Amino acid sequence: MSSTCSNVSREFDEPVAGTAATARTWLLLEQPGPWGAEALTSSHLDPALGRALEAAAQGSGVRIVLIRRPGRHADRRTPATRRVYAAHTVPGNVWLYAATTTDPGRLLGLDFAALGRGEPESFATALHGRPHEGDPLALVCTNGKRDRCCALLGRPLAAELAASGVEGVWEVTHLGGHRFSPTMLVLPYGYAYGRAEAHTVKEVLHGAREGRIVVEGCRGGSAWERPGQAAELAVRRAVGEYAAEALSVVRTDGAAPRWEVTVAHGDGRRWLVEVVRGASLPPRPESCGSVLGSPARMDVVGVREVTLAALAG
């Protein structure tokens, strides 16, 4: 059996639902050149700025990642004008803004708490950002310093997508879940995918352009914690609802290893979803080079539609 974590996970058919990174808002900064394992402080970005950005985002619901165009990465220390994006992923208030800057230090002028709440005004003010009018963004994790699978599988996927003319493709520093490589996040809706292939990515992006979510290979929506991610996907499958902003996770009761998640539809319907945290067996590496373990998995054991009166009772 191959020793890479992604091959082991694939061979064991480990489920991907409920494994996405969590973030209500994503902040993307273009940073050419090489990335280290902790990219904000181990790239050609000023590490003092990287630490300041990490501190500013702490507890705000904003997740900061670095992006770069697919292809060869010249070791440049003075990049030209950089692209910056901010995306809020909570249904009912989904947006994606874009800007350019020659001074990444201007990101410290952002109101991170407001961005986390879904208010884009500081992005417009500090960076002269405007709503993004192009195609959805496809962010493919390629950071081999985090895990070799991300480089071995992610970089060829990003290059193939870019070469085939897919717009909005970027390499990104870290999305978690190395064993599901190639991993991808699609903005503005914030749904993550695992074991991505070029033809399925194109289907996912086509759906996103039309405001639809493809559930095959989906790890979950980043707006929700992991039990909510699994619950929302289970409701989508159960009722055949694929509109991007149709469902919301409105309540999560319980604690590990068992939760009862309330998923609401924009039309008023509600579902109670029972989610149990299990262990992936037999033991396998969670990432390349790590010891054998039993990564957590989110198993949906019940989906029940309920009335508002029943919920009140």
Side-chain angles (χ1 to χ4, degrees):
M1 180 180 292
S2 171
S3 61
T4 65
C5 65
S6 59
N7 278 348
V8 173
S9 176
R10 187 185 295 267
E11 288 164 5
F12 286 149
D13 196 24
E14 183 179 352
V16 303
T19 67
T22 57
R24 295 190 301 273
T25 302
W26 291 84
L27 181 61
L28 321 177
L29 171 63
E30 183 177 4
Q31 176 58 59
W35 298 330
E38 302 298 331
L40 278 179
T41 53
S42 56
S43 69
H44 289 331
L45 185 70
D46 179 354
L49 173 58
R51 288 189 292 270
L53 288 170
E54 288 177 335
Q58 184 71 31
S60 68
V62 178
R63 186 179 178 110
I64 307 173
V65 292
L66 302 182
I67 58 174
R68 65 190 177 196
R69 291 295 188 185
R72 297 178 61 85
H73 305 300
D75 194 357
R76 299 195 302 267
R77 292 186 175 273
T78 310
T81 301
R82 308 164 190 245
R83 297 289 292 181
V84 187
Y85 296 96
H88 190 63
T89 63
V90 177
N93 186 30
V94 169
W95 48 257
L96 174 60
Y97 272 58
T100 60
T101 185
T102 56
D103 177 14
R106 292 175 61 190
L107 273 66
L108 291 175
L110 295 171
D111 184 337
F112 283 86
L115 286 176
R117 294 191 299 267
E119 302 165 10
E121 288 77 14
S122 72
F123 192 85
T125 300
L127 297 171
H128 306 295
R130 299 174 58 85
H132 175 65
E133 296 179 350
D135 286 337
L137 304 185
L139 311 176
V140 180
C141 186
T142 64
N143 193 347
K145 296 296 185 182
R146 299 285 305 200
D147 191 284
R148 59 176 171 159
C149 287
C150 296
L152 292 173
L153 301 174
R155 290 194 65 187
L157 174 63
E160 180 180 356
L161 291 169
S164 66
V166 176
E167 298 292 333
V169 179
W170 293 88
E171 297 186 6
V172 67
T173 46
H174 183 49
L175 298 176
H178 317 298
R179 64 192 184 280
F180 304 122
S181 294
T183 62
M184 177 186 69
L185 177 75
V186 177
L187 295 175
Y189 299 114
Y191 284 81
Y193 291 83
R195 305 185 186 121
E197 298 179 1
H199 69 280
T200 58
V201 169
K202 292 175 182 178
E203 180 184 354
V204 167
L205 294 177
H206 178 71
R209 282 193 294 272
E210 297 183 343
R212 292 184 294 104
I213 300 303
V214 173
V215 298
E216 287 74 19
C218 190
R219 299 175 61 194
S222 73
W224 321 123
E225 297 296 327
R226 293 184 176 182
Q229 294 173 11
E232 191 242 22
L233 286 175
V235 172
R236 286 191 180 278
R237 291 181 183 275
V239 304
E241 177 57 80
Y242 306 114
E245 297 187 68
L247 300 178
S248 294
V249 174
V250 296
R251 181 168 175 163
T252 301
D253 295 308
R258 184 178 293 270
W259 299 266
E260 186 177 69
V261 181
T262 304
V263 178
H265 195 290
D267 65 10
R269 287 178 289 167
R270 298 286 190 276
W271 294 265
L272 293 180
V273 184
E274 189 174 358
V275 182
V276 175
R277 187 182 69 191
S280 299
L281 297 172
R284 79 285 308 273
E286 195 159 349
S287 61
C288 288
S290 68
V291 298
L292 293 180
S294 301
R297 53 184 284 172
M298 294 293 160
D299 294 318
V300 172
V301 297
V303 177
R304 178 167 58 95
E305 186 173 355
V306 293
T307 63
L308 288 177
L311 284 172

